[in-house]
Amino acid sequence: AAFPIHTLIPVRLEFADNGTTPVVTTAEYSFVTLDAEADGPKISAIANQVTSPGRPVTVNFSLNDGRPNTGDLKLIGESSNAALLPVGNIVFASQPFGGNTVTLTPLAGVTGTATVSISVVDAAGIKASTNFQLTVLSDNPVTIADFNLLQAIRQALNKPEGTPISLIDLAQLNYLYAGYRNIGNLAGLEAASGLINLDLNGNRNIASHQLLSGLTNLLSLSLGDNALGNLNFLPGLPRLNSLYLWNNQ
C-alpha cells in the first residue's frame, strides 16, 4: 500500500460582507496524499513446484523495495503442511549478481501437497506475499497403454525411447499437442495434473474421454473431430475457459 504523506498548504481566503471591503485571512490546512514513490516491498510470483520425497527444489524469485531508506528486507517462509515440508526446510539465499532463491526440501518418505507462502517485510513493517503449491510425488513409472499417446508425451517431455515416464514427469507437463495421432486410449494421461493446454483434435477412436475429468488445471481443451458422445467429463474441469468441439456427433 502507498505510504501517507501529510502536507501543510497555506490557503488565502477572502470574505465579503454586504459589499463592504473584503476581509482577508490566511489559514493552513493539512492534506493527506499518497506518494507513488513510497510503495511497500514487492515479490515476484512463483509457479507451482513438483518434486519427489527428500529431493530439494530451488526456485528463483525477485524482490523490490519501493520505499527508499527503509533498511534490510526480511524474508519469511511458511508451509501449510509441516509433516511434508517443515518451515526449517525453507531456506533463502541471495545471488551474487542479484536475485534470490528459495530451496524447499520435503521430508523423505512422505508424499502430498503443501501451500508455501513467501513473504517480504521491510523495516517499516509493510509486507508483501506470494503463495504457490509444492507437490511431492513418488518417482514411480506411469503406464501409458496407447502407443501413439505415449509417443506424443515422449515428444512433449523430450524423453528418449526406453526412458521411463514417471509421475513427476507427467505432473510437470503443461502443454500436450497430440492431434491426429490415431489415439484410442487415454489411460495414464490422468496423471498429467499440471496440464493447462491439451490438443486431441482428430482422434476419432478414443473410446472414453472420462479420464479428462481429473485434469483440473486445464485452461484450454481441443476435441475437434473426436466423435464425442457426451460431455460428462466437463464438471471436473473447473478452470477451463476454452473448449473446441467442432465436427462431433
Side-chain angles (χ1 to χ4, degrees), residues 10-245:
V11 179
R12 179 182 173 87
L13 303 175
E14 295 186 359
F15 302 93
D17 183 13
N18 298 324
T20 60
T21 303
V23 177
V24 179
T25 186
T26 300
E28 286 188 339
Y29 291 84
S30 176
F31 293 86
V32 177
T33 60
L34 296 178
D35 188 350
E37 299 299 322
D39 288 341
K42 295 180 176 63
I43 183 171
S44 62
I46 299 176
N48 293 336
Q49 302 295 314
V50 181
T51 188
S52 58
R55 180 185 295 174
V57 57
T58 299
V59 186
N60 295 303
F61 65 97
S62 60
L63 299 174
N64 178 38
D65 188 4
R67 299 185 62 220
N69 303 319
T70 55
D72 293 336
L73 298 175
K74 179 182 179 181
L75 285 167
I76 302 170
E78 298 173 279
S79 168
S80 68
N81 187 353
L84 178 74
L85 179 71
V87 170
N89 288 18
I90 303 174
V91 179
F92 298 103
S94 297
Q95 299 304 298
F97 300 102
N100 300 269
T101 63
V102 57
T103 298
L104 314 168
T105 306
L107 295 178
V110 182
T111 60
T113 61
T115 299
V116 182
S117 177
I118 306 298
S119 301
V120 55
V121 184
D122 68 12
I126 299 179
K127 177 180 178 180
S129 301
T130 187
N131 299 323
F132 61 96
Q133 184 169 296
L134 174 69
T135 300
V136 182
L137 300 170
S138 69
D139 274 330
N140 295 339
V142 177
T143 299
I144 308 296
D146 190 289
F147 177 79
N148 295 324
L149 176 59
L150 176 61
Q151 294 305 105
I153 292 174
R154 284 195 181 282
Q155 183 177 350
L157 293 172
N158 197 26
K159 283 275 195 176
E161 195 72 31
T163 304
I165 294 176
S166 70
L167 284 171
I168 294 177
D169 291 328
L170 283 178
Q172 293 176 324
L173 183 62
N174 299 131
Y175 301 89
L176 179 61
Y177 302 99
Y180 299 94
R181 287 182 176 259
N182 196 30
I183 294 169
N185 187 350
L186 297 179
L189 188 60
E190 68 274 12
S193 57
L195 269 178
I196 60 176
N197 191 318
L198 175 60
D199 184 339
L200 290 171
N201 285 332
N203 290 292
R204 297 189 63 84
N205 295 322
I206 295 176
S208 172
H209 294 79
Q210 195 58 42
L211 290 175
L212 298 178
S213 64
L215 304 179
T216 56
N217 286 308
L218 269 184
L219 300 178
S220 178
L221 176 60
S222 299
L223 294 174
D225 197 18
N226 260 228
L228 272 170
N230 62 71
L231 297 174
N232 294 340
F233 55 88
L234 284 183
L237 307 178
R239 301 185 63 200
L240 194 69
N241 57 37
S242 297
L243 177 63
Y244 302 94
L245 296 173

